[in-house]
């Protein structure tokens, strides 16, 4: 509800404003209506000149860079209006426009039955329209199309096709490249999206990723985080193993620690020890978790050896563990 | 402040009756129209001029509305069109020689603090970056606290479309605030 709180910062309508308008309205209704023959004639002349100019320009191709942080309005032609906020390129003739859209939102209003064709193209989608009002948003989540009036045809890069109408929900074409799918996964995670949706995106990314590539490594690391978040220790273990098998090292520290923690939670102490052994200097917290795992399993000797080693190195062991060591070592 | 749609019978009475019934219909709808002009027109337009024009159109063209159920939708569409005309005029006026009109100030209470005025300016700017459909959904659903069914009737679109616009509008609005360099969460705490 944060956006709503901000909206409520707007000043309310002037409480006396409506009353003033009412007084003006009554005065206007009592006054005789004015005629504007001259103005009408002038308007007609201007319209005729504009129509002639439009016919001349109708087939002239042109290219226009679209790049705006704030919303900008562009009258591409008399029949095609664009509002955009983001980055792209518009090219074509007044009657046949192609917008190559990279990022942000572009909204097009196309007069129906005038023979105009407008296409918005992104990496994920081609949106084709003849006479409607529609908008396309490209973000890390993909390319989303929604329609205010009329109908548009959306062809997604994954081969699916959709007809979007005002009655239907917006259609989102998902990214297809592994790097873009990684970006979508990060955007979903930042928005606290449902776990299944995040995992589905990561799975698509891994299907498309080149084995051994850094993108695959990043996707596997994200999947491990999410599986751990969902408490799916078995899948997480498989993902961590795949990470190591793929020769990835960039996030080995995090991967090994996460895998070790999950293993200790399931009393798989040997697996946890193997994961920690991959690290040059496993953190004390993780080693204490392993010691707890061993003591719970009754393997006191290994726990004792681990704790002695830490104490010998002058590491700050908690008081409870120091007492435990003293008790074990007492004759 | 929550707004509720006036009774349909006012429209029926105005169609069948005389000036007094038309006045009653105008009186019932004028606060709504004025609020729409104020919130959708933004600080660059004079809401009184726009509302006055909408109500004049209503009085002159009431007979064109074929059913009472669609009167609200028709009036909102008329307001939208009138605001678009006023925006064009405001743009055109900038290029004409002559005295520059002051920014209308009727909506700004003299009692408001400078901080509140600054926050409002930022919200106006952020709201202005939104597509019209999303801006309308935010104003009608959030500021006027209308139900999505009521807004769907006013806009003449399905309820799902209203919800979709509202969701996208909230996100775009938040992004617009952030694009202005605002730390949205922190400032919310300060404002709160």
């Amino acid at each position: 509800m944060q956006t709503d709180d901000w909206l409520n910062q707007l000043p309310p309508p002037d409480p006396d404003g409506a009353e003033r308008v009412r007084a003006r309205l009554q005065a206007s209704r009592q006054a005789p209506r004015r005629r504007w023959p001259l103005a009408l004639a002038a308007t007609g002349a201007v319209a005729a000149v504009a129509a002639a100019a439009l016919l001349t320009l109708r087939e002239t191709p042109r290219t226009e860079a679209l790049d705006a942080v704030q919303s900008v309005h562009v009258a591409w032609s008399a029949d095609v209006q664009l509002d955009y906020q983001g980055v792209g390129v518009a090219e074509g003739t007044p009657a046949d426009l192609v917008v190559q859209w990279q990022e942000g939102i572009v909204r097009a209003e196309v007069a129906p039955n005038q023979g105009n064709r407008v296409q918005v193209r992104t990496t994920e989608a081609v949106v084709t329209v003849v006479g409607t009002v529609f908008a396309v948003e490209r973000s890390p989540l993909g390319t989303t199309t929604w329609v205010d009036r009329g109908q548009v045809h959306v062809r997604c890069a994954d081969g699916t096709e959709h007809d979007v109408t005002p009655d239907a929900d917006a259609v989102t074409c998902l990214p297809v490249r592994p790097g873009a799918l990684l970006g979508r996964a990060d955007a979903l995670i930042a928005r606290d999206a449902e776990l299944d949706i995040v995992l589905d995106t990561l799975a698509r990314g891994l299907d498309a990723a080149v084995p051994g590539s850094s993108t695959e490594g990043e996707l596997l690391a994200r999947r491990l985080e999410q599986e751990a978040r969902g408490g799916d220790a078995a899948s997480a273990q498989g993902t961590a193993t795949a990470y190591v098998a793929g020769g990835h090292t960039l996030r080995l520290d995090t991967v090994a620690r996460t895998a070790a923690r999950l293993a200790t939670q399931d009393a798989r102490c040997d697996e946890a020890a193997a994961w920690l052994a991959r690290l040059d200097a496993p953190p004390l917290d993780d080693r204490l978790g392993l010691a707890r795992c061993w003591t719970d399993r009754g393997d006191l000797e290994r726990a004792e050896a681990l704790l002695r080693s830490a104490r010998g190195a002058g590491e700050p062991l908690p008081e409870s563990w120091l007492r435990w060591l003293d008790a074990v070592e007492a004759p | 402040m929550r707004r509720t749609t006036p009774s349909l019978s006012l429209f029926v009475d105005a169609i069948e009756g005389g000036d007094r019934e038309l006045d009653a219909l105008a009186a019932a709808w004028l606060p709504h129209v004025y609020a729409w002009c104020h919130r959708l027109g933004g600080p660059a337009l004079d809401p009184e001029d726009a509302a006055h024009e909408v109500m004049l159109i209503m009085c002159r063209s009431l007979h064109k509305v074929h059913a009472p159920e669609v009167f609200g939708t028709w009036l909102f569409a008329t307001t939208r069109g009138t605001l678009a005309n006023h925006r064009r005029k405001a743009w055109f006026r900038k290029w004409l020689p002559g005295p520059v009109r002051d920014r209308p100030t009727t909506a700004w209470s003299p009692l408001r603090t400078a901080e509140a005025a600054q926050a409002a300016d930022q919200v106006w700017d952020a709201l202005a970056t939104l597509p019209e459909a999303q801006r309308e959904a935010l104003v009608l659903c959030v500021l006027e606290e209308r139900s999505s069914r009521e807004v769907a009737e006013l806009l003449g679109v399905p309820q799902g479309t209203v919800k979709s616009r509202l969701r996208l509008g909230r996100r775009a609005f938040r992004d617009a605030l952030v694009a202005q360099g605002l730390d949205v969460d922190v400032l919310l705490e300060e404002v709160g």
Side-chain angles (χ1 to χ4, degrees):
Chain A
M1 300 304 286
Q2 292 171 343
T3 52
D4 298 357
D5 293 338
W6 270 98
L7 274 173
N8 282 311
Q9 296 301 307
L10 286 179
D14 184 352
D16 300 327
E19 193 51 44
R20 283 195 295 271
V21 175
R22 200 151 83 98
R24 281 173 66 183
L25 181 65
Q26 285 188 335
S28 303
R29 287 176 59 203
Q30 283 159 9
R33 288 185 67 175
R34 288 173 290 181
R35 305 287 177 194
W36 297 88
L38 192 62
L40 280 175
T43 306
V46 170
V49 170
L54 189 67
L55 282 173
T56 309
L57 291 171
R58 190 165 180 81
E59 294 308 321
T60 309
R62 71 179 201 269
T63 301
E64 197 166 316
L66 310 176
D67 188 351
V69 178
Q70 300 286 318
S71 184
V72 170
H73 178 83
V74 172
W76 177 258
S77 68
D79 296 332
V80 180
Q81 311 285 320
L82 296 176
D83 288 284
Y84 68 94
Q85 183 181 351
V87 182
V89 174
E91 53 194 347
T93 64
D96 189 358
L97 167 66
V98 174
V99 178
Q100 302 282 358
W101 194 242
Q102 294 174 26
E103 184 189 359
I105 297 180
V106 57
R107 179 175 180 272
E109 185 164 351
V110 187
N113 307 320
Q114 303 295 318
N116 296 292
R117 189 189 73 131
V118 174
Q119 263 195 356
V120 177
R121 295 179 183 173
T122 69
T123 312
E124 295 91 21
V126 176
V127 183
T128 307
V129 59
V130 179
T132 188
V133 180
F134 73 106
V136 176
E137 177 183 16
R138 180 148 196 264
S139 71
L141 294 175
T143 295
T144 303
T145 305
W146 66 96
V147 174
D148 290 341
R149 193 172 67 226
Q151 179 174 332
V152 302
H153 182 77
V154 180
R155 193 174 73 241
C156 296
D158 62 7
T160 58
E161 300 199 16
H162 313 266
D163 285 321
V164 190
T165 63
D167 297 339
D169 285 338
V171 167
T172 298
C173 295
L174 302 187
V176 286
R177 295 176 186 160
L181 283 159
L182 175 64
R184 172 178 159 84
D186 283 341
L188 287 168
I189 292 166
R191 286 168 169 78
D192 284 332
E194 287 177 29
L195 187 60
D196 287 349
I197 299 174
V198 180
L199 288 175
D200 176 67
T201 299
L202 290 168
R204 286 168 187 263
L206 285 166
D207 284 344
V210 175
S213 64
S214 58
T215 306
E216 185 200 49
E218 290 301 294
L219 286 162
L220 284 168
R222 300 294 193 290
R223 191 166 82 178
L224 174 64
E225 279 173 20
Q226 297 305 306
E227 287 166 342
R229 179 165 75 100
D232 185 356
S235 299
Q237 195 69 35
T239 302
T241 304
Y243 185 90
V244 174
H248 306 295
T249 54
L250 190 64
R251 296 191 186 274
L252 181 61
D253 192 64
T254 310
V255 168
R257 290 185 64 194
T258 305
R261 281 179 189 169
L262 289 169
T264 54
Q265 281 169 14
D266 289 349
R268 290 181 280 116
C269 312
D270 295 333
E271 274 181 40
W275 280 114
L276 290 182
R278 292 180 178 278
L279 304 179
D280 293 335
L284 180 62
D285 281 352
D286 294 335
R287 279 178 286 144
L288 292 178
L290 180 59
R292 169 66 63 196
C293 185
W294 274 326
T295 54
D296 288 347
R297 208 175 65 176
D299 196 345
L300 305 183
E301 285 181 11
R302 295 175 80 174
E304 186 185 346
L306 190 153
L307 293 165
R308 266 194 193 153
S309 162
R311 187 179 61 183
E315 291 186 87
L317 287 180
E319 191 62 34
S320 57
W321 279 116
L322 289 172
R323 279 203 303 272
W324 183 84
L325 262 184
D326 290 344
V328 169
E329 291 168 346
Chain B
M1 185 187 74
R2 172 156 174 73
R3 289 191 182 276
T4 50
T5 308
S7 164
L8 297 181
S9 64
L10 286 169
F11 171 81
V12 178
D13 293 345
I15 287 286
E16 294 172 352
D19 282 351
R20 207 178 61 178
E21 286 76 14
L22 190 57
D23 284 345
L25 180 70
W29 277 98
L30 181 53
H32 297 260
V33 171
Y34 181 73
W36 294 337
C37 291
H38 167 70
R39 285 168 171 150
L40 295 172
L45 298 188
D46 186 336
E48 291 186 22
D49 281 352
H52 177 230
E53 190 173 327
V54 173
M55 298 313 288
L56 276 178
I57 295 171
M58 187 202 87
C59 292
R60 289 169 186 163
S61 308
L62 196 62
H63 61 281
K64 292 180 183 171
V65 184
H66 57 82
E69 303 81 50
V70 298
F71 174 68
T73 311
W74 177 84
L75 192 61
F76 187 82
T78 303
T79 306
R80 182 195 285 144
T82 304
L83 288 172
N85 286 338
H86 278 236
R87 278 190 206 101
R88 274 191 287 274
K89 284 178 192 167
W91 180 86
F92 192 58
R93 203 179 291 123
K94 283 194 302 188
W95 304 98
L96 288 178
V100 177
R101 277 175 58 136
D102 287 340
R103 183 165 135 155
T105 55
T106 50
W108 304 87
S109 160
L111 298 175
R112 284 174 47 215
T113 61
E115 288 83 2
Q118 187 183 358
D121 283 345
Q122 288 166 327
V123 175
W124 280 126
D125 291 343
L127 209 52
T129 64
L130 267 57
E132 189 176 40
Q134 293 175 16
R135 188 164 58 236
E136 289 173 357
L138 280 179
V139 165
L140 294 174
C141 293
V142 178
L143 290 177
E144 300 196 350
E145 300 178 19
R146 294 176 191 268
S147 69
S148 57
R149 189 179 61 80
E150 205 179 342
V151 175
E153 283 171 8
L154 268 179
L155 298 177
V157 298
Q159 217 171 323
T161 304
V162 172
K163 289 179 182 170
S164 168
R165 288 178 186 176
L166 184 61
R167 179 172 51 79
L168 291 166
R170 280 192 168 118
R171 202 173 73 201
F173 178 65
R174 186 188 168 87
D175 289 348
L177 290 174
V178 172
Q180 289 186 35
L182 297 174
D183 188 340
V184 176
D185 296 327
V186 170
L187 285 178
L188 270 174
E189 284 169 16
E190 288 174 1
V191 170

